[in-house]
Amino acid sequence: MTSPGSDARLDNGARPAEQERARTGPPGNDIPIRSDISAHALRLLARKTPSLRASLRMRAVAHMLGGASIAEAAAGAHVRTRTLQNWIARYNAEGVAGLVDRSREPSRPR
C-alpha cells in the first residue's frame, strides 16, 4: 500500500509529474526541433553541401530528427551537447540556412 504523498509509480512506471509532461521531440530529447524537413532529406542535403562543417551540423540535426537522443547525436558529431543545442536553436530559427557557415569577422562600429 502506498500513501498519497509517497513516490508511487503508475502502471507504466512513470511518476505522475513525468506522465503529464509532454515530449517535445523524439524520445530522449528535451528541446523541440522543427520537422518541416525529414531526417532523410536533411542527410541528402548534407551530402551536397560543399562545407564539411555545415555538413556535420546537418547530419547531427538529422540524427536527432531520426530519433537519437541529444547525447547520442552530440557524441556522433564529436561535439558537446551544448554546441548541438546551439545548432538546433539556429536550425529552429532559420531552417537549413542557420546551419551553414557564418562569417567570423567581427563587425566594425561605424
Side-chain angles (χ1 to χ4, degrees):
M1 292 192 106
T2 59
S3 63
S6 71
D7 190 26
R9 297 203 174 248
L10 302 176
D11 292 336
N12 64 358
R15 293 184 181 137
E18 292 172 345
Q19 185 180 27
E20 292 175 14
R21 182 176 49 160
R23 289 261 179 213
T24 54
N29 296 335
D30 294 299
I31 54 176
I33 303 175
R34 66 191 291 172
S35 58
D36 53 340
I37 300 175
S38 70
H40 178 70
L42 195 56
R43 284 187 185 104
L44 290 176
L45 189 60
R47 278 185 180 175
K48 297 177 183 179
T49 302
S51 168
L52 292 177
R53 294 170 55 152
S55 177
L56 175 70
R57 291 183 204 108
M58 290 178 200
R59 289 174 195 267
V61 171
H63 198 55
M64 286 197 59
L65 284 172
S69 71
I70 192 162
E72 292 169 341
H78 302 286
V79 296
R80 294 184 191 143
T81 55
R82 183 65 224 167
T83 301
L84 183 54
Q85 289 172 347
N86 291 340
W87 294 349
I88 291 168
R90 285 171 46 183
Y91 176 71
N92 285 338
E94 303 172 32
V96 177
L99 299 176
V100 296
D101 290 334
R102 295 180 176 180
S103 172
R104 291 186 169 199
E105 283 186 31
S107 59
R108 289 193 232 168
R110 292 184 179 212

